Amino acid sequence: MDRRRLLTLLAAGTAATLLGGSEAHGDPAPLDSGSAGLVPPGLVPGNAIPPLAPRTTIGPGALSALPGAGNTMALTIDDGASAETVGAFIEFARRTGVRLTFFVTAYYDSWSIHRDALRPLVDSGQIQLGNHTWDHPDLTRLSAGAIADQLERTKTFLLNNFGTDGTPYYRPPYGYHNATVDRVAADSGYAVPTMWYGTLEDTNKVINEDMLLNAARQWFRAQSIVIGHANRPTVTHIFDQLNDIIRERNLSTVTLNDVLVLG
């Protein structure tokens, strides 16, 4: 496929078809070598389709930053208590090309409400889904059976609605996990508890746009995994400023699947 044709199709909103189509499940399909690094019209350079490159092999165990050198950043968004905010994140990704990883708390109906809008971006690989349990308990306080139920219910939800189960990545609520939690999670296919290097600091009871922007300026760095939450609409008011920080620092947003593979 020639370059002009690819850009035309991307601009028309058919990237999901090019990158795997509605039947693509699990890891995103490899990009055609002619599409590597292209910037569809309207996208900033930092949100170009990632070039083909070997992914870093990781082993089981906690992950808090992207290994190796580079200028990539993984923006990861948890929970989904606010349907308005989930929808805005999806539109933000669609509009700008920003690549996101959602850690889904499947109890929230936001994911069902926005399933049809989200599914094409999941199929194309622009948005990745991980497991953030069914209803966000402290897993360290649960029995092994209850831990498994939390993860398996969300696993089933993700498969039924988005054709992917999120393995091997799960984010334990509050970041709380121990050897028992990790063993049970691994038995369900979630061998990589995914922590973070930086945060938008949006879990405080009172947040404002300046607080979020200050946190972004502090933590939007090369090779960082940054955590945010889709629970309040405040963050949706500063999407363009967040994108400006990404661009000014020459960062490329990536999903975990873009750059990592479990060995």
Side-chain angles (χ1 to χ4, degrees):
M1 178 180 295
D2 64 54
R3 185 184 183 99
R4 179 178 297 178
R5 175 62 174 160
L6 176 64
L7 290 175
T8 300
L9 288 172
L10 285 171
T14 58
T17 301
L18 285 172
L19 304 181
S22 61
E23 296 179 2
H25 301 319
D27 286 350
L31 297 173
D32 180 88
S33 59
S35 68
L38 297 185
V39 186
L43 304 193
V44 300
N47 298 326
I49 299 170
L52 292 177
R55 293 184 292 174
T56 300
T57 300
I58 59 172
L63 179 72
S64 58
L66 301 178
N71 68 331
T72 59
M73 181 187 79
L75 181 56
T76 64
I77 306 301
D78 285 9
D79 300 347
S82 166
E84 175 187 352
T85 307
V86 169
F89 266 111
I90 295 168
E91 175 58 20
F92 174 49
R94 190 203 62 77
R95 175 173 59 87
T96 66
V98 161
R99 301 176 75 81
L100 303 173
T101 301
F102 280 129
F103 280 95
V104 174
T105 302
Y107 166 84
Y108 295 122
D109 62 3
S110 303
W111 307 108
S112 297
I113 290 171
H114 294 293
R115 177 180 54 220
D116 292 346
L118 178 56
R119 178 66 187 259
L121 299 180
V122 174
D123 287 341
S124 76
Q126 183 183 345
I127 291 180
Q128 179 178 342
L129 305 181
N131 194 323
H132 196 38
T133 73
W134 179 255
D135 58 5
H136 208 277
D138 175 356
L139 296 178
T140 65
R141 295 179 175 270
L142 301 184
S143 67
I147 296 168
D149 182 65
Q150 283 285 327
L151 294 169
E152 288 292 333
R153 289 179 73 182
T154 295
K155 184 178 187 178
T156 298
F157 175 84
L158 293 176
L159 277 170
N160 288 345
N161 289 278
F162 300 103
T164 180
D165 60 14
T167 56
Y169 304 102
Y170 86 100
R171 176 162 284 158
Y174 316 104
Y176 298 161
H177 65 114
N178 55 26
T180 298
V181 172
D182 289 346
R183 174 181 56 80
V184 173
D187 287 344
S188 293
Y190 300 100
V192 184
T194 307
M195 312 304 282
W196 54 92
Y197 173 83
T199 173
L200 287 177
E201 299 179 1
D202 53 359
T203 58
N204 298 321
K205 290 184 178 180
V206 178
I207 60 173
N208 58 51
E209 295 167 15
D210 286 340
M211 292 170 59
L212 299 182
L213 282 171
N214 286 337
R217 294 185 185 106
Q218 179 178 1
W219 296 115
F220 278 23
R221 301 178 183 178
Q223 303 308 103
S224 64
I225 297 175
V226 178
I227 183 176
H229 298 80
N231 297 337
R232 303 174 193 169
T234 310
V235 68
T236 69
H237 306 154
I238 59 166
F239 280 157
D240 288 340
Q241 293 97 312
L242 296 180
N243 211 15
D244 286 343
I245 296 171
I246 292 168
R247 179 179 55 193
E248 290 162 2
R249 297 184 178 185
N250 196 33
L251 297 171
S252 292
T253 56
V254 295
T255 70
L256 301 176
N257 279 341
D258 285 336
V259 294
L260 304 175
V261 62
L262 183 64

